[in-house]
Amino acid sequence: MKTDFKAGQLVRSKLTKDIGRVIDVEPDYYGARQAFKVYGAERGQALRPSSVNGIGPTKDGIRDRVRVRWYTNYGPAIDDLRIFDTALYMDGLDLLLMEEEGEE
C-alpha cells in the first residue's frame, strides 16, 4: 500500500535509519502500475521483445518522490551527498512515516 506523504511529516529512512521532516512531495513520480511480462520463461532462456506473452502488475507500483530535510546522521550511506545539501529527494518506498495523521 502506498503511503501518502505530506509536507511537515516526520519520517525515517529504511536505508540509514536517519530521521527527517518532509519538505516537498511529487506524487506518482517513480514506477508504473503495469508492465510487459514473459510468463513461463525457463532459466537460461533467451528473451526477445517478441517473447512477451502478457501484461501484469509491477512489484513496487507507483511511488512518490519525497524531499526530506535530514536531522540525524546515523548511516554512512549518504554522507558524501550531505556535503552539498541536507535536503535530498528520496523514493517514497525507502521512507517510513513516524507520525500518523492527527498527531501534533
Side-chain angles (χ1 to χ4, degrees), residues 58-89:
T58 58
K59 177 183 168 192
D60 297 325
I62 300 288
R63 300 171 321 275
D64 295 339
R65 178 172 140 164
V66 183
R67 188 164 190 189
V68 179
R69 171 78 56 196
W70 296 108
Y71 297 128
T72 60
N73 187 11
Y74 295 135
I78 54 176
D79 282 345
D80 295 336
L81 296 175
R82 290 215 172 114
I83 294 169
F84 304 107
D85 193 3
T86 57
L88 302 172
Y89 278 105

Side-chain angles (χ1 to χ4, degrees), residues 17 35 37 46 48 50 60 89 94 101:
K17 307 299 183 216
K37 305 258 182 160
R48 302 179 296 281
S50 61
D60 297 325
Y89 278 105
D94 298 329
E101 202 169 320

Side-chain angles (χ1 to χ4, degrees), residues 2 4 11 13 23 40 42 58-59 62 65 85 87 91 95:
K2 181 178 158 186
D4 291 323
V11 294
S13 169
I23 295 174
E42 296 179 13
T58 58
K59 177 183 168 192
I62 300 288
R65 178 172 140 164
D85 193 3
D91 187 337
L95 297 172

Side-chain angles (χ1 to χ4, degrees), residues 8-80:
Q9 290 178 318
L10 200 59
V11 294
R12 180 181 293 271
S13 169
K14 290 182 184 178
L15 306 174
T16 63
K17 307 299 183 216
D18 287 330
I19 297 171
R21 191 159 302 277
V22 175
I23 295 174
D24 185 34
V25 178
E26 295 181 19
D28 303 339
Y29 188 85
Y30 297 112
R33 286 184 176 82
Q34 60 187 15
F36 294 111
K37 305 258 182 160
V38 178
Y39 294 104
E42 296 179 13
R43 185 176 179 88
Q45 177 183 350
L47 300 177
R48 302 179 296 281
S50 61
S51 300
V52 171
N53 58 8
I55 296 177
T58 58
K59 177 183 168 192
D60 297 325
I62 300 288
R63 300 171 321 275
D64 295 339
R65 178 172 140 164
V66 183
R67 188 164 190 189
V68 179
R69 171 78 56 196
W70 296 108
Y71 297 128
T72 60
N73 187 11
Y74 295 135
I78 54 176
D79 282 345
D80 295 336

